[in-house]
Amino acid sequence: MLIVHGGTPLAGTVRVRGAKNLVSKAMVASLLGETPSVLRSVPRIRDVEIVTGLLELHGVRTHTAPDGDQPDGEIHMDPSNIESGSIPDIDAHAGSSRVPILFCGPLLHRLGQAFIPDLGGCRIGDRPINFHLDVLRQFGATVDKTPGGIKLEAPQRLTGTKVELPYPSVGATEQVLLTAVRAEGTTELKNAAVEPEIMDLVAVLQKMGAIISVDTDRVIRIEGVDSLRGYTHRALPDRIEAGSWASAALATGGKILVEGAQQEPMITFLNVFRKIGGEFDIREDGILFAHPGTELQSVALETDVHPGFMTDWQQPLVVALTQAKGLSIIHETVYENRFGFTDALVRMGANIQLYRECLGGTPCRFGRMNFNHSAVISGPTALTGKDIEIPDLRGGFSHVIAALAAEGTSNVRGFQLLNRGYEDFTHKLESLGARMEIP
């Protein structure tokens, strides 16, 4: 449990390293190479530990330089002795992570078989793996469901195919990329995700020898090659974490320099941040985010796939919007159940109403379904400390921000979940002046 004493503005400097949503996928890509790979700017987070363990279970030799020797967070991965992992070991090590589904394509190419344990992950909406399995079948894999998970085999070399996504899913796009690069022939992917993390994965694969073209109409074409080599790559910085600390500065009335944050992948966020009234300064070493010292302004926005407003920015920003003047409208179009975290905010004093309708914008795919996917936030409202149970990674960060912005003390349970995606989370909070303790 984390005991948080609120009411103190956060001020100081934090550093973000490589994006969680890229680093784990780039590590999986190392399986495709026939020589070692080096990934830099790797954060110390639970997801990295999980992927490292899964790689080692499959015979990949890994080495992480201590921060004292390599302050940039560097991991070396040598896949020259790749082998099948033990099913019980894979199941036990993967835990609730959904990363093992992305091991399938590389393992089918290298070993001719792969195994997926039962998958977990944050409960923020429907994230089925059926589409992943259908795509792998299109490449030529056979899929057999077992009591403990799913076994896949490639009786012969996988072959390129044509895939059209019903929605620009990041996970499905990653699956196609990691499978198509060594498949025989050409793969065409329509309606692909084009997030910065996807483009960085494309850059990694191109360094390995892949041939990938990205068109302006969300079409990605991959010409399969016979073999790939290892890579050396520096991961792009985590724009989700940077946006989370920016929202924390707004919500608490503080000022935070986020070292490593970059302007280009955050342009959409920065525009919204400025509309609310937040101040920021783009520097060579990062971005300084600050509360303006005057009233924050309400906004209306929709989450969307890139280049739209990222869904992972929505939750921490909602906390800041409880302190903005007027009515803010948020229309969530990416995950249907992402507003569950607001229950705790309402108990703390926030005025938030949820609606099934598509508010403030164009109708989305959830409009005719029974999901509360729009929110109206009325502010400003004072928050008071409460007992909080963290529901998921991004919602959990939002709850901690709310506790820091509130008057009084909050008891936050399950905060260890934040280690999945935020490096040195409690240490960073302490460096910003947060008053908290772990009993």
Side-chain angles (χ1 to χ4, degrees):
M1 183 171 68
L2 185 68
I3 300 175
V4 179
H5 307 289
T8 301
L10 297 183
T13 301
V14 295
R15 179 176 63 148
V16 295
R17 289 206 263 199
K20 166 187 174 291
N21 288 351
L22 176 277
V23 167
S24 56
K25 321 307 166 50
M27 292 173 67
V28 173
S30 71
L31 286 167
L32 291 161
E34 297 182 4
T35 56
S37 293
V38 179
L39 184 61
R40 298 193 172 113
S41 195
V42 178
R44 295 187 303 271
I45 55 176
R46 177 59 180 156
D47 271 20
V48 168
E49 294 175 5
I50 290 173
V51 179
T52 300
L54 290 171
L55 289 174
E56 291 175 345
L57 287 174
H58 288 93
V60 177
R61 293 194 300 271
T62 68
H63 171 69
T64 303
D67 263 8
D69 299 331
Q70 175 48 260
D72 203 24
E74 185 173 289
I75 184 168
H76 296 242
M77 297 158 287
D78 183 353
S80 55
N81 294 317
I82 189 172
E83 60 186 24
S84 296
S86 161
I87 290 177
D89 288 344
I90 295 172
D91 198 6
H93 191 83
S96 63
S97 171
R98 302 180 65 86
V99 171
I101 186 69
L102 295 177
F103 273 69
C104 294
L107 289 176
L108 288 170
H109 285 302
R110 295 298 303 271
L111 301 174
Q113 62 182 10
F115 173 78
I116 311 169
D118 291 330
L119 297 177
C122 294
R123 297 180 179 178
I124 54 177
D126 188 20
R127 303 168 90 178
I129 67 166
N130 289 340
F131 192 84
H132 288 262
L133 301 179
D134 290 342
V135 166
L136 291 165
R137 287 190 185 98
Q138 281 188 240
F139 279 103
T142 62
V143 180
D144 182 26
K145 295 184 179 180
T146 69
I150 300 171
K151 184 176 182 181
L152 299 95
E153 293 182 330
Q156 54 192 4
R157 183 179 177 185
L158 299 180
T159 56
T161 186
K162 291 186 176 182
V163 180
E164 183 167 3
L165 302 181
Y167 181 79
S169 162
V170 169
T173 300
E174 292 164 341
Q175 182 70 261
V176 172
L177 287 170
L178 291 168
T179 305
V181 286
R182 284 193 56 177
E184 185 176 5
T186 299
T187 296
E188 181 183 85
L189 175 61
K190 292 184 178 180
N191 203 26
V194 292
E195 271 67 7
E197 294 81 9
I198 291 288
M199 293 299 100
D200 213 32
L201 179 60
V202 168
V204 167
L205 294 170
Q206 189 179 60
K207 287 181 177 181
M208 299 177 75
I211 302 173
I212 305 171
S213 63
V214 182
D215 296 340
T216 56
D217 55 354
R218 292 188 179 274
V219 175
I220 298 178
R221 292 180 177 84
I222 307 104
E223 298 179 35
V225 296
D226 293 334
S227 64
L228 294 170
R229 57 184 175 272
Y231 65 82
T232 297
H233 186 76
R234 182 184 305 279
L236 85 167
D238 198 314
R239 63 194 175 117
I240 302 174
E241 183 177 358
S244 298
W245 290 118
S247 295
L250 270 190
T252 65
K255 179 185 292 187
I256 301 175
L257 172 62
V258 183
E259 289 184 341
Q262 293 180 356
Q263 178 183 11
E264 185 176 358
M266 296 190 70
I267 284 176
T268 303
F269 177 87
L270 294 173
N271 285 335
V272 173
F273 192 83
R274 179 164 281 162
K275 287 179 182 179
I276 295 171
E279 297 177 351
F280 62 86
D281 181 25
I282 310 296
R283 302 184 178 184
E284 287 189 4
D285 59 346
I287 305 176
L288 176 67
F289 296 96
H291 189 284
T294 56
E295 280 189 334
L296 301 180
Q297 302 303 311
S298 58
V299 294
L301 64 88
E302 291 182 317
T303 65
D304 204 348
V305 296
H306 189 77
F309 191 87
M310 194 180 193
T311 180
D312 288 315
W313 287 327
Q314 174 256 111
Q315 290 167 295
L317 191 69
V318 163
V319 181
L321 289 174
T322 66
Q323 306 307 304
K325 181 181 179 181
L327 295 178
S328 292
I329 300 173
I330 310 291
H331 180 204
E332 171 63 51
T333 75
V334 179
Y335 290 125
E336 65 270 30
N337 288 324
R338 196 137 215 186
F339 283 123
F341 79 101
T342 61
D343 290 345
L345 302 185
V346 171
R347 288 192 291 106
M348 298 176 77
N351 188 345
I352 302 174
Q353 300 290 329
L354 303 183
Y355 296 89
R356 296 183 180 90
E357 294 78 16
C358 300
L359 298 182
T362 55
C364 76
R365 58 195 175 130
F366 306 135
R368 296 180 179 271
M369 302 180 186
N370 193 29
F371 299 119
N372 286 321
H373 69 293
S374 292
V376 175
I377 305 116
S378 178
T381 55
L383 303 179
T384 56
K386 297 290 182 182
D387 290 347
I388 303 170
E389 185 75 32
I390 283 182
D392 60 73
L393 180 62
R394 307 304 175 186
F397 193 110
S398 305
H399 286 164
V400 174
I401 293 175
L404 291 165
E407 290 296 327
T409 299
S410 297
N411 298 316
V412 183
R413 294 181 175 83
F415 76 95
Q416 293 86 351
L417 177 63
L418 299 176
N419 294 326
R420 270 192 55 211
Y422 296 100
E423 181 181 47
D424 296 335
F425 179 68
T426 54
H427 175 74
K428 287 179 179 178
L429 284 177
E430 289 173 346
S431 71
L432 294 173
R435 296 184 299 124
M436 60 188 197
E437 58 207 54
I438 301 174

